[in-house]
Amino acid sequence: MEFKAYRRPDGAFVLVPDCLVASRDAQGRHGPLTLVARFDVDCPLDDPVWHRVLADIDRQSYAVVRRDTGEQLIRLATGHAIV
C-alpha cells in the first residue's frame, strides 16, 4: 500500500493513501498540511499502530499519527529519515 505523509504544524503526520489528496476535513482539522514524503508498505505490520492507521483510513480517508510514530513508519518503509 502506498501512502503520502503530510506534516501538521505541530510535527505530527497525516497519512493518506497515495491515490488521494488530503481531504478538506483533514486540512481543516489538522492544517495547514505540508507533503513531506511518499512511501510504500509492502505488507503492513501486524501491530496496533497499523491496525489503527488502516481503520482510520477506512473510516475517514486519513490517519493521524504522532511525530515519532510517523517518522518511524517512514524510516522503516524508505530506509531514511525525514528532515
Side-chain angles (χ1 to χ4, degrees), residues 15-78:
L15 304 179
V16 177
D18 192 48
C19 61
L20 302 175
V21 295
S23 66
R24 287 185 183 172
D25 179 58
Q27 289 282 355
R29 290 176 184 249
H30 305 286
L33 300 175
T34 304
L35 180 63
V36 295
R38 283 188 163 95
F39 63 99
D40 186 27
V41 177
D42 290 330
C43 63
L45 303 174
D46 185 20
D47 69 35
V49 172
W50 272 115
H51 289 289
R52 186 182 62 78
V53 165
L54 295 176
D56 287 352
I57 287 172
D58 283 344
R59 190 177 74 252
Q60 62 190 12
S61 78
Y62 66 91
V64 177
V65 294
R66 295 184 330 225
R67 180 180 183 160
D68 59 335
T69 302
E71 289 173 347
Q72 179 183 12
L73 294 174
I74 294 166
R75 187 172 45 254
L76 288 171
T78 66

